[in-house]
Amino acid sequence: MQEMSPFVKAFQQTKFRLNGHGKREVGVLKEALLSISNQQESDIYGTGQVIEAFQRKMANYLGKESAVFFPSGTMAQQIALRIWCDEKGMQKVAYHPLCHLEIHEEDGLKELHHIDPILLADKDRLIELDDILNINEEIACLLLELPQREIGGQLPEYSTLEAISSYCKEKGIKLHLDGARLFEITPYYGKSASEICKLFDSVYISFYKGIGGVAGAILAGDESFTESSKVWKRRHGGDLVSLYPYILSADYYFEQRVNSMKNYYEGAKELAQLYNDCHQITTKPIKPVSNMFHVHLFGQKEHLEKILMEIHHTTGIGFTPYLREVTDHEYFYEVSIGDQYAAVPREEVKKAFSLLNKRMKELDLSIL
Amino acid sequence: MQEMSPFVKAFQQTKFRLNGHGKREVGVLKEALLSISNQQESDIYGTGQVIEAFQRKMANYLGKESAVFFPSGTMAQQIALRIWCDEKGMQKVAYHPLCHLEIHEEDGLKELHHIDPILLADKDRLIELDDILNINEEIACLLLELPQREIGGQLPEYSTLEAISSYCKEKGIKLHLDGARLFEITPYYGKSASEICKLFDSVYISFYKGIGGVAGAILAGDESFTESSKVWKRRHGGDLVSLYPYILSADYYFEQRVNSMKNYYEGAKELAQLYNDCHQITTKPIKPVSNMFHVHLFGQKEHLEKILMEIHHTTGIGFTPYLREVTDHEYFYEVSIGDQYAAVPREEVKKAFSLLNKRMKELDLSIL
């Protein structure tokens, strides 16, 4: 196991955190199980009350005919694309260059399913209707990720979504939603999850982002689609004898947090403003459209780490445990607002940002 | 959800059970978590103390250089075969016709990995050295399942294993162990798990058979093999953000039960004898070589169900919740001895078998 850097250590020792719901620790699972009877029967290889009831509940919530619980989104989404490709008899799909399948899955889609993706748009912007109109070969499926996480969680106009959906329907292209953060975008669009899902043929949602569960995902669509997905789930090795640890915690935190998404969104806007008011710091997007955004800081890494460590030490508020490089003079980190943000004393937040702004100014003037 | 048949219902209402460790219910997980601190940190995508320590412990137990925790054996074993095939540059393996990969995985090995298996031996017998000597094409890997579950849990002579292992080494064929029930065969062979594993290049073990955990598996081998397996685990969608619910329960029940395998084995021999003393009943194998065997009953299904239901009702001892057809006059079910067998009062067991024998005689004489 790796030694912890002084930077990570300073973050770990903070009392408050601006991001997330709290530590990923066993207490999260234990809390979810507290109200569950010891005699609650396990699901068994995808059957049984505990999995079937939750699948039904999520299908209803998403406005889809049927839903299947998966151990991971990686598995669920590869399978969704495979089913649509098989249906159309072509191994071609399209998605954003920073799609999860393209950058975080060790090329599972290509290595296991031999599906060839067309990368739409540039890395640093959203997919627009024109990008799709300009595809000059047939595709079986288009995947949209809402919000587009790797560029700070940006969203297209809702009318763009509608236009893309209509176009795909007309052209016989299946539209799949990477809705890992679907709950989180409903306040900005002012639409329910099922209204948004109506634009898509298939939908994946996650339970350990905004919902803050232990792990797990749902894949939803019409009945023949989800039935096929169960066969592929078994092939992938995801049809576990018992998925209930994930299902029960997903359900518990869904109930606890699904109605807090507006608060997280408002918190994100407020916090982004605090960052943007600081010298040499900007957020992407400037005005968040969900609970998430990226913070970009300009300066050398050692200086930025020194500033953040000072803030962590003196204010007890944790900003981030890492910095990722854009250039050797620009670094960023991701912010996702959860339950913790509202719990940080407002006065302390002000003090921390005042110190951050002061130090960033000094850094810019090279007097740090 | 399906209606429960009267036969299943009668079984469900029994007070004692001859098979297994008990019901698959949430209490199993809760018990395992009781002694775990709420502050115990989660594993994160295959890293962190909780997963790394257990992998190290299992590698040591199995006498292998390295081990990786997987959500399922289905995933672990397909990946093992894929790695060996890629290494040799051929998509050919060999295994038993009733291998788990052949009959329980919706052809994942073929559909995802395009690996072509040669089926060795007949369905109703073990693989012997001659079957391997007679393979007339090159293969990358041979998979042996110990014990061969679908034929009642039979085992080859240990000297056969040694001969197969030597032959494979000589011919450059990788030997993989499906050790879903590896713990359970150590008493019969009088060998430790690591002694047995020494004969194999890669090994999969399960934590919800004899160990009675919630789910999960370990794949072990040398370091370069397990490092490759982590890449494939991510591709399969098995590199979950948190696998700790399975890891912690696997570890808890491993500690609790790994030293009980001899008791389970002795129990299986005793129980098989009781069955074999009954009219028109035989076990496969006659003398178990692990904690498991199959019970074959001769008669029509409706009559056999009637007899078992009477036993369930009158003695409160549960024999089986299902009968599987061999012919329309022969049915069987699987027995796996766990913690429950020793807890059934001996006098009641005797009474139940005495009733079973009486009714099977009456059935044979058509006076039931």
Side-chain angles (χ1 to χ4, degrees):
Chain A
M1 270 157 279
Q2 281 190 317
E3 259 313 299
M4 210 182 271
S5 75
F7 183 63
V8 173
K9 209 175 274 177
F11 175 81
Q12 298 285 8
Q13 286 165 357
T14 55
K15 189 176 171 193
F16 299 107
R17 305 284 162 87
L18 297 176
N19 304 345
H21 296 305
K23 288 186 185 165
R24 294 192 58 85
E25 52 189 25
V26 174
V28 171
L29 175 60
K30 282 196 177 189
E31 182 187 327
L33 296 178
L34 267 183
S35 61
I36 308 291
S37 154
N38 275 359
Q39 283 73 49
Q40 165 68 52
E41 280 181 31
S42 174
D43 52 309
I44 302 280
Y45 298 115
T47 67
Q49 182 270 335
V50 66
I51 190 165
E52 290 172 38
F54 188 63
Q55 290 176 165
R56 173 66 12 238
K57 178 176 172 173
M58 287 300 113
N60 291 342
Y61 179 82
L62 299 171
K64 293 293 179 197
E65 198 176 36
S66 179
V68 179
F69 192 87
F70 276 82
S72 74
T74 295
M75 194 184 291
Q77 295 207 106
Q78 284 181 29
I79 288 172
L81 299 194
R82 175 61 184 259
I83 292 169
W84 296 137
C85 282
D86 281 356
E87 189 178 294
K88 201 163 180 178
M90 68 176 59
Q91 292 163 308
K92 198 72 133 186
V93 298
Y95 53 53
H96 193 271
L98 299 180
C99 175
H100 197 275
L101 291 100
E102 191 64 16
I103 63 173
H104 289 308
E105 302 182 6
E106 295 279 3
D107 279 339
L109 188 73
K110 298 165 200 170
E111 296 287 340
L112 289 170
H113 296 286
H114 309 286
I115 291 173
D116 192 16
I118 296 171
L119 306 183
L120 298 174
D122 302 321
K123 281 191 180 186
D124 56 0
R125 69 162 176 87
L126 289 170
I127 295 171
E128 296 293 340
L129 179 60
D130 266 355
D131 298 307
I132 296 154
L133 297 177
N134 289 334
I135 299 174
N136 53 18
E137 49 189 318
E138 265 206 286
I139 59 170
C141 179
L142 168 66
L143 178 151
L144 291 184
E145 182 186 348
L146 302 180
Q148 197 74 50
R149 177 201 183 180
E150 301 289 343
I151 51 173
Q154 299 181 42
L155 282 177
E157 293 298 315
Y158 199 74
S159 58
T160 301
L161 285 187
E162 291 175 315
I164 291 175
S165 177
S166 294
Y167 177 79
C168 287
K169 204 154 281 166
E170 187 192 316
K171 294 290 179 186
I173 298 168
K174 295 293 180 182
L175 190 57
H176 172 77
L177 172 58
D178 178 340
R181 293 165 182 80
L182 171 64
F183 307 113
E184 294 89 321
I185 64 170
T186 52
Y188 172 75
Y189 279 144
K191 305 277 181 189
S192 69
S194 71
E195 283 174 298
I196 298 168
C197 290
K198 208 171 278 173
L199 303 174
F200 295 84
D201 297 290
S202 55
V203 178
Y204 139 71
I205 58 171
S206 171
F207 295 100
Y208 68 95
K209 280 86 180 186
I211 296 297
V214 177
I218 276 279
L219 184 64
D222 62 26
E223 185 88 22
S224 70
F225 170 82
T226 57
E227 282 306 302
S228 297
S229 82
K230 288 179 187 173
V231 174
W232 283 107
K233 178 180 163 187
R234 173 152 291 212
R235 288 174 178 155
H236 266 251
D239 190 18
L240 305 195
V241 60
S242 295
L243 283 166
Y244 71 80
Y246 301 131
I247 296 167
L248 292 171
S249 48
D251 197 15
Y252 176 82
Y253 291 107
F254 174 82
E255 288 300 330
Q256 189 171 106
R257 296 194 175 119
V258 72
N259 294 322
S260 302
M261 296 298 153
K262 189 153 192 333
N263 295 343
Y264 303 154
Y265 168 51
E266 296 299 335
K269 285 190 289 185
E270 180 185 291
L271 184 60
Q273 186 63 55
L274 289 170
Y275 276 115
N276 285 309
D277 288 344
C278 290
H279 204 75
Q280 295 287 84
I281 296 181
T282 183
T283 69
K284 189 193 260 187
I286 298 283
K287 199 170 173 179
V289 292
S290 71
N291 73 324
M292 76 164 289
F293 56 89
H294 286 177
V295 179
H296 287 249
L297 304 98
F298 298 90
Q300 283 180 280
K301 192 172 189 182
E302 55 174 326
H303 296 145
L304 298 173
E305 285 196 345
K306 196 178 153 202
I307 292 172
L308 287 164
M309 278 172 73
E310 183 193 351
I311 292 173
H312 291 165
H313 278 309
T314 60
T315 70
I317 300 179
F319 278 54
T320 180
Y322 69 88
L323 289 175
R324 244 169 241 153
E325 186 176 287
V326 181
T327 70
D328 65 359
H329 207 75
E330 181 182 352
Y331 293 83
F332 82 98
Y333 57 89
E334 185 176 284
V335 170
S336 294
I337 298 296
D339 290 346
Q340 294 192 120
Y341 178 64
V344 192
R346 295 299 94 180
E347 273 311 301
E348 300 302 313
V349 173
K350 264 193 195 163
K351 272 188 220 163
F353 274 93
S354 159
L355 179 57
L356 178 61
N357 189 28
K358 184 160 177 271
R359 290 287 182 262
M360 289 301 287
K361 265 185 194 156
E362 291 167 1
L363 177 61
D364 194 28
L365 299 169
S366 299
I367 57 170
L368 189 74
Chain B
M1 268 157 280
Q2 281 191 316
E3 259 312 300
M4 210 182 270
S5 74
F7 183 63
V8 174
K9 208 174 274 178
F11 175 81
Q12 297 286 8
Q13 286 164 357
T14 54
K15 188 176 170 192
F16 300 105
R17 306 282 162 87
L18 297 176
N19 304 346
H21 296 305
K23 287 185 186 167
R24 294 192 58 84
E25 53 190 24
V26 175
V28 172
L29 175 59
K30 283 196 176 190
E31 182 186 327
L33 296 178
L34 266 183
S35 61
I36 309 291
S37 154
N38 275 358
Q39 282 73 49
Q40 164 67 53
E41 280 180 32
S42 174
D43 52 310
I44 302 281
Y45 298 115
T47 67
Q49 182 271 334
V50 66
I51 189 165
E52 291 172 37
F54 188 63
Q55 289 176 165
R56 171 72 3 244
K57 177 175 172 173
M58 286 300 113
N60 291 342
Y61 180 83
L62 299 171
K64 292 294 179 196
E65 196 176 37
S66 179
V68 178
F69 193 87
F70 276 82
S72 74
T74 295
M75 194 183 292
Q77 296 207 105
Q78 285 181 28
I79 287 172
L81 299 195
R82 175 62 183 258
I83 293 168
W84 296 137
C85 282
D86 282 355
E87 188 177 296
K88 202 162 179 177
M90 67 176 58
Q91 293 163 307
K92 199 73 138 186
V93 297
Y95 53 52
H96 193 273
L98 299 180
C99 175
H100 196 274
L101 291 100
E102 191 64 15
I103 63 172
H104 290 307
E105 303 182 8
E106 294 280 2
D107 278 340
L109 187 73
K110 298 165 199 169
E111 296 287 340
L112 288 170
H113 296 286
H114 309 285
I115 292 172
D116 192 17
I118 296 170
L119 305 182
L120 298 173
D122 303 320
K123 282 191 179 185
D124 57 0
R125 69 161 176 88
L126 289 170
I127 294 171
E128 296 292 341
L129 180 60
D130 266 355
D131 298 306
I132 297 154
L133 297 178
N134 289 333
I135 299 175
N136 52 20
E137 50 189 317
E138 264 205 287
I139 58 170
C141 179
L142 168 66
L143 178 152
L144 291 183
E145 181 186 348
L146 304 179
Q148 197 73 52
R149 178 202 183 179
E150 301 290 344
I151 52 173
Q154 299 181 43
L155 282 177
E157 293 298 315
Y158 199 76
S159 59
T160 300
L161 285 187
E162 291 175 316
I164 291 175
S165 177
S166 294
Y167 178 78
C168 286
K169 203 155 282 166
E170 188 192 314
K171 293 290 178 185
I173 299 167
K174 295 293 179 181
L175 190 57
H176 172 78
L177 171 58
D178 178 340
R181 292 165 183 78
L182 171 63
F183 307 113
E184 294 89 319
I185 64 171
T186 52
Y188 172 76
Y189 278 144
K191 304 279 180 187
S192 68
S194 71
E195 283 173 298
I196 298 168
C197 290
K198 206 171 281 174
L199 302 174
F200 294 85
D201 297 289
S202 55
V203 178
Y204 139 71
I205 57 171
S206 171
F207 295 100
Y208 68 96
K209 280 85 180 186
I211 297 297
V214 178
I218 276 278
L219 183 64
D222 62 28
E223 186 87 23
S224 69
F225 170 82
T226 57
E227 282 307 302
S228 298
S229 82
K230 288 179 187 173
V231 174
W232 284 105
K233 178 180 162 187
R234 172 151 292 212
R235 288 173 177 155
H236 266 251
D239 190 18
L240 304 196
V241 61
S242 294
L243 283 166
Y244 71 79
Y246 301 131
I247 297 166
L248 293 171
S249 49
D251 197 14
Y252 177 82
Y253 291 107
F254 173 82
E255 288 301 329
Q256 189 171 108
R257 295 191 176 121
V258 73
N259 294 322
S260 302
M261 297 297 154
K262 188 151 195 329
N263 295 343
Y264 303 155
Y265 167 51
E266 296 299 334
K269 285 190 288 187
E270 180 186 290
L271 184 59
Q273 186 63 55
L274 289 170
Y275 276 116
N276 285 309
D277 288 345
C278 290
H279 205 75
Q280 295 287 87
I281 296 181
T282 184
T283 70
K284 187 195 259 189
I286 298 284
K287 199 168 174 182
V289 292
S290 71
N291 72 326
M292 75 164 290
F293 57 88
H294 285 177
V295 180
H296 286 249
L297 304 97
F298 299 89
Q300 283 180 282
K301 192 172 189 184
E302 57 174 325
H303 295 145
L304 298 172
E305 285 196 345
K306 196 178 154 203
I307 291 171
L308 287 164
M309 279 172 73
E310 183 193 351
I311 291 173
H312 290 164
H313 279 307
T314 61
T315 71
I317 301 179
F319 277 55
T320 181
Y322 70 89
L323 289 175
R324 243 170 242 151
E325 186 175 288
V326 182
T327 70
D328 65 0
H329 206 76
E330 181 181 353
Y331 293 83
F332 82 99
Y333 57 89
E334 185 175 284
V335 170
S336 294
I337 298 296
D339 290 345
Q340 294 192 121
Y341 178 64
V344 192
R346 297 297 94 179
E347 273 312 300
E348 301 302 313
V349 173
K350 265 193 192 162
K351 272 189 220 161
F353 275 93
S354 159
L355 180 57
L356 178 62
N357 189 28
K358 183 160 176 272
R359 291 288 181 259
M360 289 301 288
K361 265 184 192 154
E362 290 167 1
L363 176 61
D364 194 31
L365 298 169
S366 300
I367 58 170
L368 188 73

